[in-house]
């Protein structure tokens, strides 16, 4: 039994190891956040997915693991997993479209960016919001992104680039192999290498980190310079 007791991003990040675990077990049940099951389960695979309900967790199993323990339990690294490992039917968006996500939730407000700081990006390329709320940014979907994982994944799949803070969208885009530019606070948690431009967890990801706490202007200026030089978007400007 594998339990998904942390955030959606944690479950997406470590779901890459589930097929390798399934190959070593007689049976595998994954107790997962209901919002993720349809996206991660996919066709076949020999894994039983059940929704995680706080008030009624499954009883203890003979072998009981939390999903973020899988790399340690299996003695695997991110490089041992095939990439990309998530897929979705893509929606239809203009060529060169950029997906934007500025919010990371109230439990760590230091990860989030004031949305107006992303407005210059909207002047450089057609953009959509990947936030599940209305926005004042000049994007193609001012009402925001549907609160549905498969619909969100379809939007991510239709973009040419995702620019996001450290939240579930970063893991979703990275797991789908989408070019992803991650805006990272100066003291990130364990999964992001400090001082590095990339990460072994998501080969398609590029990191733009704050040089000091609260300074989003510096990484955003660097990101804007790189975006201006991006050939995939040049035809749209």
């Amino acid at each position: 039994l594998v339990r998904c007791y942390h955030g959606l991003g944690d479950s997406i990040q470590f779901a890459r190891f589930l097929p390798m675990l399934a190959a070593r077990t007689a049976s595998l049940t994954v107790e997962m956040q209901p919002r993720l099951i349809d996206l991660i389960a996919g066709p076949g695979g020999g894994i039983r997915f059940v929704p995680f309900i706080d008030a009624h967790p499954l009883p203890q199993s003979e072998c009981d693991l939390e999903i973020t323990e899988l790399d340690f339990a299996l003695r695997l690294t991110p490089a041992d997993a095939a990439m990309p490992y998530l897929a979705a039917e893509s929606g239809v968006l203009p060529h060169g479209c950029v997906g934007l996500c500025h919010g990371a939730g109230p439990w760590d407000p230091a990860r989030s960016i004031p949305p107006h700081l992303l407005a210059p990006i909207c002047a450089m390329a057609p953009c959509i919001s990947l936030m599940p709320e209305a926005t004042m940014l000049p994007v193609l979907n001012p009402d925001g992104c549907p609160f549905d994982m498969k619909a969100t994944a379809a939007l991510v799949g239709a973009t040419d680039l995702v620019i996001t803070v450290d939240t579930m969208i970063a893991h979703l885009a990275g797991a789908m192999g989408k070019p992803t530019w991650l805006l990272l606070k100066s003291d990130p948690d364990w999964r992001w290498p400090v001082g590095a431009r990339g990460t072994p967890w998501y080969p398609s990801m590029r990191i733009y980190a704050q040089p000091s706490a609260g300074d989003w202007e510096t990484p955003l200026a660097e990101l804007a310079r790189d975006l201006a030089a991006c050939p995939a978007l040049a035809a749209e400007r």
Side-chain angles (χ1 to χ4, degrees):
L1 173 63
V2 172
R3 304 180 189 267
C4 302
Y5 279 2
H6 294 289
L8 299 179
D10 299 284
S11 296
I12 291 172
Q13 180 181 0
F14 285 87
R16 71 188 71 207
F17 299 118
L18 290 174
M20 287 171 276
L21 177 60
R24 304 186 191 188
T25 60
S27 65
L28 174 58
T29 296
V30 180
E31 188 179 37
M32 180 167 279
Q33 300 94 331
R35 288 182 62 203
L36 289 180
I37 290 177
D38 286 346
L39 177 66
I40 291 181
I47 303 173
R48 174 178 172 242
F49 287 86
V50 297
F52 166 53
I53 301 172
D54 277 327
H56 303 286
L58 292 179
Q60 189 77 17
S61 175
E62 179 181 5
C63 184
D64 205 305
L65 293 169
E66 213 286 324
I67 195 168
T68 58
E69 299 173 331
L70 291 186
D71 57 337
F72 178 76
L74 296 171
R75 302 299 191 267
L76 296 174
T77 72
D80 295 312
M83 293 292 296
Y85 58 93
L86 287 186
E89 291 187 14
S90 294
V92 178
L93 293 172
H95 174 72
C97 192
V98 176
L100 301 177
C101 180
H102 62 78
W107 65 275
D108 186 3
R111 295 187 185 188
S112 299
I113 294 177
H116 71 270
L117 294 181
L118 298 180
I121 295 172
C122 299
M124 302 175 71
C127 292
I128 61 165
S129 172
L130 295 172
M131 296 289 297
E133 59 192 33
T135 179
M136 297 298 292
L137 290 170
V139 295
L140 301 177
N141 60 335
D143 291 332
C145 178
F147 192 71
D148 176 87
M149 288 303 306
K150 293 192 82 169
T152 300
L155 287 176
V156 168
T159 63
D160 285 70
L161 171 68
V162 171
I163 296 173
T164 179
V165 297
D166 180 10
T167 190
M168 179 274 295
I169 291 294
H171 295 281
L172 176 62
M176 294 176 67
K178 182 63 57 176
T180 306
W181 293 1
L182 176 66
L183 289 157
L184 196 61
K185 69 177 188 176
S186 60
D187 56 336
D189 64 14
W190 58 269
R191 75 196 77 216
W192 309 120
V194 175
R197 179 49 63 93
T199 168
W201 289 101
Y202 301 112
S204 65
M205 184 173 285
R206 184 186 300 181
I207 295 174
Y208 295 84
Q210 292 177 333
S212 59
D215 178 7
W216 288 117
E217 287 76 11
T218 298
L220 279 167
E222 182 183 5
L223 184 150
R225 288 193 296 269
D226 289 348
L227 186 63
C230 186
L233 305 177
E236 298 302 312
R237 296 197 291 270

